[in-house]
Each structure stands twice: as C-alpha cells, then as structure tokens.
C-alpha cells in the first residue's frame, strides 16, 4: 500500500521560503487573473448569444438575408399575410404573436457629441413585447411618438457613459431628435445593446416602407415546417424562415475564430504560469535533494515523494486561483464590453470559475511534476551527499 | 546464521571510459547485537558498502543477505518497504526536516509501518527518552543544538526497532563534547537495547567503541578485529 508523507509536510514547506512562495503566488495570481478574464469573455459572449435565442421564435427575412438581418428587406404587408395564413402561430386574446421589425446599424449622436457612434436600432410594433419575452422595462415607460427606449448596454455599445442615455436625455438618429423614455433589460441577451423606437416613426425617418424581418412565436401545436412551407409557397414575397436558435447558433460559429484566439491567449498565458511554477518548484526541490533522498532512505517511495511535491505545487496554485477568482469577481464580472454585434457582459459564472480553477491546478501539477521526477531519478546515495 | 551477510560483493561505476571499482569481492558477516566500525580513506568504498547493506544501492555482483532476506533480489518498491521495516540510518548531517518538530521527525519512519496513532506516539516518546530529549519533542530543528539534532536523528533511526542501524560518519559534523555524548549514546543503545550497529567513520575515537573494527583499502576489506568493549546482550535476551 502506498504510504504518503504527512499533509503538514507539504503545507509547512510553503513557509520555508515565504518570500519566494509569495512571489510565485503573486505571479500565478496575475496569470490566472488573465485566464479568468479570457474565460469570462468567452462565457459572456456565449451566454449572450445563447440567451438571445428563443426556441419558440422563428425569424422570417428576405431570401439569403439570414446571415445579416440588417441587409434583409421584406414587404411590410408580410406581417398581416403571415398572421392570417399560418395557424400554428401563437395567438392570445385576438393578438397574433408576429413582430415586424426594422433592424439596422446606424450612427447615433448623444447630446454634445458631434462625431456620433454606430448603434444598433430596432423599429418595433407593440407586438414586439409579446414575441421578445426576455425584454423587460426597468426604468421609465415604453416609447411614444418621438421617443426611444434603450437597452441597458446601449451606452456601452456607443462607447458613452450610461448618463448619456439616461431617461429624459435626447439622441439624434437619422437626422431626428428622439427623447429617451425608458430603459429595458433582456436577461443579458444581445437585445440589451439596442435602441428601440416605434416602427412607423423609424420607417419615416429612414424613408423606408419595408421591414427587415418578422419575429414569430410558434403556438403550442405550431411547427417550424408550417412557416417554412408558407415562405416557399409565396415566391412573390421572397421570404425565408430561420429558427432563432439556428440564427444565433450561426452567429456563435461566426465568432469561433475569436474564441480560438482567446483560447490561444489562455494557452500562452498559462504557459507563462507553468514557467513561473517550474522555476519555483525547481528551486524548491533542488534545494531539498538531500532531504528527499533521506526520506527515500527511510522507506518512502518515489511515488509518495512526487505526490508530496505535487501537493505543494497544487497548494500554491489553489491559493493563487482563490485570489485570482476573488479579484476577477470583484473587477471583471459584470463589466460590459462592446463588439461588432452589440455589447455583452463579462461573466464569471460557475463554469468560468471551475474552468479557471482546473487550469490553475493543472498548472500546479505540471509545474511540480517535472522537477520532482528529475530529482527522483538521482541515485539515493549520490543525493545524500548533495550540498 | 549471521544477521548481515555480504558475499563476494563487487561494485563498479563507469566514469567515461574508466571503470571504478570501490568494492572488490568484499565478504563480511555481522552478528546480531554486534557493534562494528568501518574505517578507510576517502573514496575507499566505506559509504558504498554501508549503502549496499542498507538497501539504498545495489551491487554489480555478489549478494547481500540480511536476516535471511537476499535484499539484492528485491524490487525497488519491495526494497523501500524493507528499509522502512528493518533499517535505521544515522546520517553525518542529521538530515532532519526543518519544518517538522523533533517528535514529527522521529515519527516519520513509523508512518510507513502498520502502527496505530497511539502506538506511534508511545514509540516516539520512548525513542526520544532513550536519547534524552523527551523535553525537546515540540522543538523544531533550528531550536536544537548540533548534538541534540544528531540525537533526534538517532532516535529516528531506532524508533521502528530495526534489525540493524547503519551510521555514516555520525560524529563527523560535531564538536568534541557532542561527539562524546553521541558515542556514549550509541554504546548505551548497543549494550542496553541490543541494537546492532555498523558505523562508518574516519574518527579513531568513534571506531574505538566498536567490538569489531574493519578497514577498507582499495576495495578490499581488512578485518582488524580489535574489540574495545563487549556487548553483554545475547540473542536469548
């Protein structure tokens, strides 16, 4: 049976050279903080796109417009035709869950800002709130004539402070001034980076009579096939249907290179962490060659000694992981950042914390294993004479 | 049958194209309760022979048998377990672990053996008492003098009641007063507890306390058989 060294031995060894241990913990904490930042970026992006997709919602857009809804254009009358022709659409109290929307990226000017910034705007009808059930008004009221409601990350998307889009402020869109009447949240989805206004007023401002898409909620017995069939039959309308989950799934695939880049950064940063760990553990272990040989002389197996050294590496890594996770929760979690599609929030959720801690422990093992194995390969008699 | 039998042992090292032979067909027997010293010039192979008997090195040829077990035929894992159960090792520099107390250092060999916690505590207490350090059990090595550290090292070597205690220059790093104390302790352990000792030393005083003194010269063992004192313990006791 494998007999291990006392747990206290590994713990107390950390305090033999407290300065060196503290420096290693500091370096590893910094490395892990970067790992946590990268993980929270990936988690935030993934969750934002995953939350945005409602499995009951189907998007109807122009043929070939599924990749980029902003370039999609369908006749405004499509909404009435779809509502009247497809029985599988959700209906309640005479309301049909069809939301015609005008969706585009355009320059938005806040007060005192002459340059403006690209913002995502969406012209919506009252039925939008039936279909977009994630959306919740958190401040003010729904927009009336000449007004807009802003998502809680809309200011981030514009690169402006939250106060610039506070309720009561005005913004300039497409040459018209709009008053901010309210702010909404959408459970962290991509919609939170948008500015919403009345569909008809946006159409007037943009001199457009069409809409970009219809967002449709399927009823309890409704199937995507019904909508798909309708689109294929009405060739005159040039419509195409895409499940919202499929649309956002495509977007996730679109951002795969970014995620790969992030993971590459994680790997590089982790490599630096391994070097820091290796450096310390080499110094720790080489300084104890004779002691480790003495323990072998007493009868401790090489495996027991390697495990003890790994325990030390993992303890350093665990302390660093705890500190880095606490710092990340305090400084990184919830930070909003903008990207091409809108904006999203960095998320230090349980998956990010668990993954970061696993990376940390792996760094501890890899950092300790190499020096431990090297020392253990030395003959005991020779090691006992080491200075 | 002798407790330790070394039969025609050869040990060779290869250093580049040269073959170094520190032990050349060495044979030796050590009886139970015997106190044997081994002297010789630096590089004469004293420590090599000690390490072969302690099972931390293997001969190029020949056999080492301890209490009927041919340890040269044991696997590395078996040898480690055998060392834990049957060998006590006293090092030149005490080799105590600085982050463990005297008590914890002495307890280390017992953690490898099937002793209960209370049995371990009892044995450690007895070992520390035997070396006169019961009142230093909770001290860390840095809080002890050089002589006290070596006594803790001896307590660690005897705590598991090994078949044989091997000591490599046990007084090599000590001043005259501490050396005297350690030599007295080793003699007392041999006469009172019947511990079998094989001590490698440069120091004639240390060699002088042995019942049998051996000398290694150019890889060959010379038995000088000069008893300084005679152990009164017999196997029956």
């Amino acid at each position: 049976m494998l007999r291990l060294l006392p747990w206290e031995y590994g713990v107390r060894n950390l305090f033999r050279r407290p300065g060196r241990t503290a420096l290693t913990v500091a370096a590893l904490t910094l490395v892990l903080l970067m790992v946590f930042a990268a993980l929270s970026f990936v988690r935030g992006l993934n969750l934002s796109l995953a939350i945005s997709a409602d499995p009951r919602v189907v998007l109807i857009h122009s043929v070939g417009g599924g990749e980029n809804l902003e370039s999609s254009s369908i006749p405004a009358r499509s909404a009435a035709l779809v509502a009247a022709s497809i029985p599988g659409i959700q209906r309640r109290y005479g309301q049909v869950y069809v939301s015609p929307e005008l969706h585009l990226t355009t320059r938005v000017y806040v007060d005192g800002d002459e340059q403006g910034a690209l913002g995502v705007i969406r012209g919506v009808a009252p039925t939008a709130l039936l279909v977009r059930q994630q959306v919740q008004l958190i401040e003010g009221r729904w927009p009336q004539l000449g007004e807009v409601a802003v998502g809680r990350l809309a200011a981030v998307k514009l690169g402006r402070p939250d106060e610039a889009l506070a309720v009561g402020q005005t913004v300039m869109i497409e040459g018209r001034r709009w008053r901010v009447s309210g702010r909404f949240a959408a459970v962290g989805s991509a919609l939170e980076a948008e500015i919403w206004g009345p569909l008809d007023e946006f159409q007037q401002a943009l001199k457009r009579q069409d809409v970009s898409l219809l967002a449709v909620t399927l009823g309890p017995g409704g199937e995507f096939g019904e909508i798909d069939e309708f689109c294929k039959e009405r060739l005159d309308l040039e419509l195409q249907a895409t499940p919202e989950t499929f649309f956002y799934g495509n977007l996730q695939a679109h951002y795969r290179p970014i995620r790969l880049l992030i993971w590459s950064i994680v790997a590089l940063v982790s490599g630096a962490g391994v070097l820091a760990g290796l450096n310390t553990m080499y110094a720790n272990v080489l300084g104890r060659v004779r002691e480790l040989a003495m323990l072998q002389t007493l009868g401790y197996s090489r495996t027991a000694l390697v495990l003890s050294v790994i325990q030390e590496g993992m303890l350093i890594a665990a302390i660093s992981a705890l500190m880095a996770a606490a710092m990340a929760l305090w400084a990184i979690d919830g930070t909003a950042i903008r990207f091409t599609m809108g904006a999203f929030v960095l998320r230090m959720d349980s998956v990010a914390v668990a993954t970061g801690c696993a990376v940390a422990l792996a760094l501890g093992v890899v950092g300790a294993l190499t020096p431990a194995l090297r020392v253990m390969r030395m003959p005991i008699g020779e090691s006992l004479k080491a200075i | 049958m002798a407790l330790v039998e070394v039969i025609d042992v050869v040990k060779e090292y290869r250093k580049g194209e040269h073959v170094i032979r520190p032990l050349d067909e060495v044979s030796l027997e050590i009886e139970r309760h015997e106190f044997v010293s081994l002297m010789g010039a630096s590089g004469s192979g004293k420590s090599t022979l000690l390490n072969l008997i302690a099972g931390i090195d293997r001969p190029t040829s020949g056999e080492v048998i301890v209490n009927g077990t041919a340890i040269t035929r044991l696997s590395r894992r078996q040898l480690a377990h055998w060392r834990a159960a049957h060998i006590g090792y006293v090092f030149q520099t005490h080799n105590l672990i600085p982050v463990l107390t005297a008590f914890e250092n002495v307890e280390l060999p017992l953690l490898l053996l099937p002793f209960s916690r209370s049995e371990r505590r009892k044995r450690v207490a007895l070992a520390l008492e035997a070396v006169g350090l019961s009142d230093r059990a909770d001290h860390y090595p840095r809080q002890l003098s050089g002589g006290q550290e070596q006594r803790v090292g001896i307590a660690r070597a005897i705590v598991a009641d090994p078949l044989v205690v091997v000591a490599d220059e046990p007084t090599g790093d000590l001043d005259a007063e501490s050396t005297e104390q350690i030599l007295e302790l080793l003699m007392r352990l041999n006469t009172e507890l019947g511990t079998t000792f094989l001590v490698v030393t440069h120091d004639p005083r240390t060699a002088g306390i042995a019942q049998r003194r051996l000398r290694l010269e150019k890889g060959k063992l010379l038995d000088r058989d000069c008893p300084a004192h005679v152990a009164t313990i017999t196997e029956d006791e």
Side-chain angles (χ1 to χ4, degrees), chain A residues 370-387:
Chain A
T370 319
L373 287 176
R374 192 186 146 189
V375 169
M376 297 309 153
R377 277 198 291 267
M378 289 171 71
I380 303 174
E382 197 178 301
S383 301
L384 282 173
K385 294 192 185 311
I387 298 168

Side-chain angles (χ1 to χ4, degrees), chain B residues 68-120:
Chain B
T69 304
I71 62 169
T72 37
R73 295 178 195 174
L74 298 179
S75 69
R76 200 173 64 197
R77 187 178 290 273
Q78 287 171 325
L79 206 50
H81 188 71
W82 177 85
R83 281 197 304 270
H86 301 302
I87 291 291
Y89 203 117
V90 180
F91 303 89
Q92 177 175 358
T93 46
H94 46 80
N95 272 345
L96 300 182
I97 294 178
V99 294
L100 301 181
T101 63
F103 185 97
E104 290 165 335
N105 268 289
V106 175
E107 193 186 21
L108 277 173
L110 299 181
L111 297 173
L112 293 161
L113 302 169
F115 290 120
S116 67
R117 188 179 169 83
S118 61
E119 178 68 12
R120 288 202 308 267

Side-chain angles (χ1 to χ4, degrees), chain A residues 12-271:
Chain A
R12 290 183 205 165
N13 272 332
L14 299 182
F15 298 99
R16 274 195 192 190
R17 293 175 182 83
R20 184 192 287 165
T21 304
L23 277 175
T24 309
V25 167
L28 216 49
T29 301
L30 198 63
V31 164
L32 290 171
L33 190 59
M34 287 191 262
V35 170
F36 278 125
L39 286 169
S40 58
F41 180 94
V42 172
R43 288 297 298 164
L45 180 59
N46 284 352
L47 282 172
S48 168
L49 295 176
I51 289 168
S52 301
D54 183 338
R56 295 182 308 147
V57 171
V58 176
L59 304 178
I60 301 174
H61 48 82
S62 59
V63 174
E67 291 287 313
N68 181 9
L69 291 177
E70 291 179 30
S71 64
S72 167
S73 172
I74 59 175
R77 64 190 167 95
S78 307
L81 286 169
V82 164
S85 310
I86 305 173
I89 295 174
Q90 174 82 32
R91 291 159 207 274
R92 187 172 287 175
Y93 305 118
Q95 292 281 348
V96 187
Y97 284 45
V98 176
S99 168
E101 297 173 359
L102 188 60
H103 176 60
L104 70 152
T105 300
T106 187
R107 200 156 279 277
V108 177
Y109 301 85
V110 299
D111 275 348
D113 176 15
E114 291 181 358
Q115 283 191 321
L118 287 178
V120 181
I121 64 167
R122 193 180 293 264
V124 292
T127 50
L129 289 177
L130 298 175
V131 178
R132 307 293 192 178
Q133 294 199 344
Q134 313 101 309
V135 174
Q136 263 192 325
L137 206 59
I138 54 173
E139 192 184 349
R141 58 176 169 75
W142 201 242
Q144 307 291 321
L145 281 175
E147 291 179 337
V148 290
V150 297
R152 64 175 173 177
L153 296 181
V156 174
K157 170 62 182 160
L158 296 176
R160 303 290 182 266
D162 277 348
E163 300 79 55
L165 290 183
V167 173
Q169 295 287 353
T170 57
V171 291
M172 186 81 87
I173 302 171
E174 294 295 326
R176 279 181 60 176
R177 190 162 289 282
W178 309 78
R179 180 181 173 277
V180 177
S181 67
R183 294 175 71 231
F184 62 85
V187 294
S189 74
L191 299 176
E192 288 190 343
E194 298 182 355
I195 298 173
W196 285 18
L199 174 63
D200 50 356
E201 282 204 87
F202 271 19
Q203 283 176 318
Q204 284 171 24
L206 291 158
K207 298 180 181 62
R208 284 176 64 169
Q209 292 178 335
D210 60 332
V211 292
S212 305
L213 71 144
L214 303 177
V216 173
T217 304
L218 291 170
E223 286 183 7
F224 170 74
E226 291 179 62
I227 299 174
D228 191 41
E229 197 177 324
F230 171 83
C231 293
K232 284 171 178 163
E233 280 175 357
R234 292 300 303 260
L235 296 173
D236 58 316
L237 297 173
E238 296 184 1
L239 300 178
Q240 187 180 346
T242 305
E244 198 173 41
T245 47
F246 188 78
F247 172 75
Y248 282 105
N250 271 347
L251 267 185
Q252 286 211 3
H254 181 71
Y255 289 114
R256 184 176 293 158
I258 293 177
R259 282 199 296 272
L260 281 175
L261 184 68
I262 297 290
W263 284 118
S264 307
I265 292 169
V266 168
L268 283 173
V269 168
S270 301

Side-chain angles (χ1 to χ4, degrees), chain B residues 87-90 106 109 152-162 164-166:
Chain B
I87 291 291
Y89 203 117
V90 180
V106 175
V152 174
I154 293 169
R156 183 179 61 193
I158 62 168
V159 71
D161 196 15
V164 58
V165 172
V166 295

Side-chain angles (χ1 to χ4, degrees), chain B residues 20 22 27 49 52 76 147-148 195 209 237:
Chain B
I20 298 164
S27 294
L49 180 57
L52 292 177
R76 200 173 64 197
Q148 287 173 330
T195 309
I209 66 166
E237 289 169 324

Side-chain angles (χ1 to χ4, degrees), chain A residues 9 13 16 287-296 305 383, chain B residues 95-99:
Chain A
Y9 173 66
N13 272 332
R16 274 195 192 190
R288 291 191 345 238
V289 169
R290 205 168 59 189
E291 179 178 306
L292 294 169
M294 179 275 289
L295 288 166
Q296 282 184 270
L305 298 182
S383 301
Chain B
N95 272 345
L96 300 182
I97 294 178
V99 294

Side-chain angles (χ1 to χ4, degrees), chain B residues 187-227:
Chain B
M187 281 174 66
R188 192 161 51 80
L189 292 172
N190 175 242
T191 53
E192 291 179 8
L193 302 178
T195 309
T196 307
F197 279 99
L198 172 62
V199 178
V200 161
T201 183
H202 270 108
D203 180 13
R205 267 188 313 167
T206 305
I209 66 166
Q211 296 158 14
R212 187 149 60 103
R213 284 180 285 170
L214 307 174
R215 187 168 189 86
L216 262 173
E217 276 183 19
K218 295 178 182 172
K220 298 282 188 186
L221 191 64
L222 309 175
D223 195 338
R224 292 177 58 184
D225 204 6
C226 303

